[in-house]
Amino acid sequence: MIIITGAAGFIGSALVAYFNEKKIYDAVLVDNFDTPFRFRNLAWKHYAKTISRDELKPFIADNQEDIKAIIHLGAKSGYIHDGWAEQKIEALELHQFLWNFSVKNQSSFIYASTGSVYGDGELGFSDDDTTTFQLKPSHPYAQIRVEIDKWSLSQNETPPFWAGLRMSNVFGPNEYHKMSNASIIYKAYNEIISYNTMRLFASDRKEYENGGVKRDFIYVKDIVKIIYFFIENLPESGIYNIATGKSESFISIITSIFKELRLAPRFEFEPISPALKDSFPYDVELPIDKLISTGYNQGITPTYDAIKEYLEKYLMKGEFY
């Protein structure tokens, strides 16, 4: 049995789909099944059962002998409000509970971190332990994730295998419910369809002006393949950048979408807000040497190939993965 938290969300539901392709049908899906999108993401997928977040701890207690692995993807990203400190405590406590259970039960444990822990990139983007303990991101969500990463690295007792996945700029099918937190690819597709133009940041730095800001984009199907590889192969435990290892500019990405839609590129540029300017990273490229060193040899889908598939197979047809 594999437990997946956040299973009705973007990456979680894609993971269930990939597990089904690998003939894994005994996953227990944990989420708050209180909105229609959560069931749309899971339509036609096969799994053992669904349980609410409130049922997670008693379920684990009653089924511990059957639990092979826990994949903890449940997290609230993108929020900034007065209650974030309490949510930090809640997130850390749940992480610690699942970690300590995995230690005791000798289960594998994989959890979602984020590439935003690197903040403005002043310290680089290395997933080595030394860099992790130096990171001090400004965004509350990233602060929560890096504290969880630091806590995990500090433990003397660990699960037989554990991995923290630093994912950033993930895009692909099943992200349709994420609204403002959806990928730039999804937002661009809808904006271009609606207005035949796309708005981008105009940087005050010459080398990044007019949409030149760069990010390391990764397709959700690569994320789930890597998770499956970790579960099956149990390489060295630790924190891993999960990315392509190559940054691409926003304007290049969006131009490729115009091309797929057979439209001439049209852009409008607006200044980066003062609130973001001081901590805004202009070029994010996450090295994946550590991931490659595990023996993962399935490659990473080139960004533009992934965008083409996303548009043609999913967005243009309104399909889910």
Side-chain angles (χ1 to χ4, degrees):
M1 178 192 301
I2 298 175
I3 292 178
I4 306 173
T5 73
F10 173 30
I11 299 173
S13 61
L15 181 61
V16 177
Y18 188 70
F19 276 1
N20 284 179
E21 291 177 7
K22 295 297 183 180
K23 303 191 185 308
I24 298 174
Y25 307 116
D26 65 344
V28 173
L29 313 188
V30 185
D31 215 313
N32 283 341
F33 296 94
D34 52 1
T35 57
F37 86 79
R38 298 180 187 276
F39 293 99
R40 289 200 299 270
N41 279 354
L42 295 173
W44 308 111
K45 296 174 176 63
H46 302 280
Y47 43 86
K49 66 180 301 182
T50 62
I51 60 174
S52 70
R53 293 175 186 170
D54 293 338
E55 297 173 297
L56 175 58
K57 290 183 179 180
F59 179 85
I60 285 177
D62 292 340
N63 295 273
Q64 52 189 316
E65 294 182 358
D66 298 324
I67 298 172
K68 171 188 175 184
I70 297 176
I71 303 171
H72 183 31
L73 302 175
K76 298 178 181 179
S77 62
Y79 58 82
I80 303 180
H81 56 74
D82 293 340
W84 80 267
E86 289 76 14
Q87 292 185 6
K88 176 180 179 179
I89 294 171
E90 179 184 341
L92 183 56
E93 287 180 345
L94 179 55
H95 177 87
Q96 291 172 341
F97 168 79
L98 296 174
W99 176 284
N100 290 331
F101 168 79
S102 298
V103 171
K104 180 181 178 181
N105 204 58
Q106 290 294 285
S107 304
S108 298
F109 181 53
I110 296 174
Y111 71 92
S113 184
T114 174
S116 64
V117 298
Y118 297 113
D120 62 4
E122 181 181 1
L123 297 175
F125 302 97
S126 174
D127 49 6
D128 67 86
D129 297 354
T130 300
T131 299
T132 294
F133 284 102
Q134 296 173 342
L135 295 173
K136 296 180 180 179
S138 60
H139 194 287
Y141 176 70
Q143 291 173 14
I144 293 173
R145 293 295 116 188
V146 80
E147 287 303 313
I148 288 173
D149 288 347
K150 291 176 181 178
W151 183 90
S152 301
L153 289 169
S154 300
Q155 300 311 297
N156 293 322
E157 292 187 291
T158 67
F161 170 75
W162 70 272
L165 310 184
R166 285 191 181 151
M167 304 174 286
S168 187
N169 295 285
V170 185
F171 68 94
N174 301 13
E175 66 169 317
Y176 316 131
H177 63 283
K178 291 175 66 67
M179 306 297 286
S180 62
N181 291 323
S183 72
I184 188 68
I185 289 89
Y186 178 72
K187 291 177 182 177
Y189 172 79
N190 285 284
E191 190 163 331
I192 292 167
I193 290 295
S194 299
Y195 305 108
N196 200 26
T197 191
M198 180 64 189
R199 293 167 295 167
L200 290 173
F201 283 138
S203 171
D204 55 354
R205 296 188 183 184
K206 181 69 175 177
E207 66 270 35
Y208 298 111
E209 66 182 353
N210 295 340
V213 171
K214 294 183 175 182
R215 293 291 182 269
D216 194 332
F217 299 91
I218 185 167
Y219 198 29
V220 70
K221 288 190 176 183
D222 289 300
I223 298 286
V224 299
K225 287 180 182 178
I226 291 167
I227 292 175
Y228 177 78
F229 170 82
F230 279 162
I231 289 293
E232 289 297 304
N233 293 276
L234 307 179
E236 182 178 354
S237 296
I239 292 170
Y240 290 88
N241 285 337
I242 307 299
T244 65
K246 181 182 179 182
S247 63
E248 304 285 355
S249 69
F250 279 20
I251 196 163
S252 178
I253 291 293
I254 309 308
T255 298
S256 74
I257 296 173
F258 276 109
K259 181 180 178 181
E260 287 300 320
L261 295 174
R262 295 177 173 78
L263 295 171
R266 291 180 55 190
F267 295 95
E268 296 176 3
F269 298 98
E270 54 189 29
I272 297 172
S273 70
L276 292 175
K277 186 176 292 186
D278 291 341
S279 61
F280 189 78
Y282 286 84
D283 190 348
V284 176
E285 184 172 286
L286 305 186
I288 57 172
D289 298 350
K290 187 189 289 189
L291 172 64
I292 300 304
S293 73
T294 65
Y296 183 75
N297 59 6
Q298 298 183 47
I300 306 292
T301 309
T303 303
Y304 298 101
D305 292 348
I307 291 172
K308 181 180 178 66
E309 178 181 291
Y310 184 24
L311 266 63
E312 292 182 351
K313 192 172 180 179
Y314 298 100
L315 285 180
M316 292 179 181
K317 297 180 179 180
E319 294 287 345
F320 290 76
Y321 175 40

